[in-house]
Amino acid sequence: MIDYLKNSFDRLMLVEKHGQAIINLPNAITLLRIGIIPVLFFLLLDPGTMWSLIIAGLFIAAALTDLLDGYLARRYQIITNLGKFLDPIADKLIVNTAMILLIAINRIPAWVVALIIIRDFVVDGIRTIASSEGVIIEASKLGKRKTLCQIFAISALIIHYPFLGANAHLVGIVILYIALWLTVYSGSDYLIKFYRYTRTKK
């Protein structure tokens, strides 16, 4: 099935560069993920149970397609510079947009969102500086777990209302604080690695 979709998409060849499609299937999936962001703005309307579930479903689908586009790019060896640029941006846009919009309807503490976003900026800055010096600081497992917890927390907070006998908002808040702990801990890990690198350089 995946092979059929990939081959069908390749025949479109939307943009070509040196005989290779720049807008390939993984990149198209990433762009589709970014396209879900405007739907999140319906959160500003403080949606009821049904719309909260629909928006949460789209958010979860966007998170799952992050796994799909990466898998396809690796399987078919069609990793492009555009894909490397878009993929991390898409993740941050979706997660950060959802969190900021949840602040507006009082479903998430603003200070938690601020800490998470600031941490991401700091870590991105550290990795950029290190990369300019020829040092690659790999994404840590803690960072990946933090992102996973954020996705679960945001999904539950978007649902908000009781779901399958559980208090979705309470579940989301609990997972959010776990994500916050992982955010601070993994951020500290990046700072320590960068500090050790600067000491070694001297």
Side-chain angles (χ1 to χ4, degrees), residues 61-81:
L64 291 177
T65 56
D66 178 37
L67 301 175
L68 179 61
D69 58 18
Y71 166 76
L72 290 172
R74 290 188 298 271
R75 175 175 175 177
Y76 295 106
Q77 297 182 341
I78 45 178
I79 298 173
T80 64
N81 289 331

Side-chain angles (χ1 to χ4, degrees), residues 18 56 91 146-147:
H18 305 307
D91 297 339
K146 179 266 298 183
T147 301

Side-chain angles (χ1 to χ4, degrees), residues 8 17 23 39 66 77 85 155 157 186 196:
S8 299
K17 184 177 181 181
I23 307 298
V39 178
D66 178 37
Q77 297 182 341
F85 172 74
S155 300
L157 291 172
S186 61
R196 287 174 178 169

Side-chain angles (χ1 to χ4, degrees), residues 137-154:
I137 302 179
E138 298 291 341
S140 69
K141 291 182 179 179
L142 284 174
K144 293 176 181 177
R145 289 169 185 167
K146 179 266 298 183
T147 301
L148 190 62
C149 282
Q150 281 181 357
I151 291 170
F152 279 121
I154 293 169

